[in-house]
Amino acid sequence: MDATDGDNRLAKLLENVTEGQWSPLEEIDWDQELILPNWISPKLYTAAVSQLYYGEIATIWACQRLLGELTGSRVRQFLHAQIMDEERHADTYLMYLRRL
C-alpha cells in the first residue's frame, strides 16, 4: 500500500464516521424496561458494563495523547472524529449505568 492508498482509506474512514453519527437520546428508548440476562448476577452485569464505559474513557485518553504526537491534518481530523465518537459511547454507557 502506498501513501495515496493510505490517504484514501483514511478519507473513507472519515466519511463513514461522519455518516454514522447517532444520538443516544434520539436512538435509544430510555423509558423501555431493562431486562438483564438471567445467567449473570445484576452486580456482575453492572460491573461488566462499567468496564465497557472505562474502556471508552481510556480510548479517549489514548486518542488525545496521539493528537499531541501526530501531525497531518487528515490524521488529526480522524482522531478528533474518533474522540467525539468515543465520548458519545462513554456518555451512552454512563446513562445506561445510571439506569442499572
Side-chain angles (χ1 to χ4, degrees):
M1 173 173 65
D2 64 23
T4 304
D5 289 338
D7 196 48
N8 289 339
R9 289 175 67 189
L10 193 54
K12 182 65 177 163
L13 279 173
L14 280 167
E15 182 181 318
N16 290 343
V17 167
T18 303
E19 290 174 0
Q21 296 296 317
W22 56 276
S23 166
L25 295 176
E26 294 175 10
E27 302 293 328
I28 297 173
D29 181 1
W30 292 102
D31 294 326
Q32 185 175 2
E33 178 186 356
L34 289 178
I35 301 172
L36 303 182
N38 61 4
W39 50 268
I40 188 171
S41 74
K43 183 175 180 177
L44 185 56
Y45 182 79
T46 302
V49 173
S50 174
Q51 292 305 304
L52 295 171
Y53 166 74
Y54 285 110
E56 298 293 340
I57 297 298
T59 304
I60 293 167
W61 291 345
C63 288
Q64 288 171 337
R65 171 93 188 253
L66 287 171
L67 269 175
E69 297 180 15
L70 298 176
T71 59
S73 62
R74 201 164 285 207
V75 170
R76 293 181 61 78
Q77 184 182 7
F78 176 76
L79 285 170
H80 281 292
Q82 189 66 41
I83 289 168
M84 287 177 27
D85 223 21
E86 301 303 332
E87 286 173 340
R88 184 176 56 252
H89 299 162
D91 289 345
T92 304
Y93 279 122
L94 187 58
M95 287 186 272
Y96 185 52
L97 282 167
R98 288 180 175 153
R99 287 207 55 207
L100 291 173

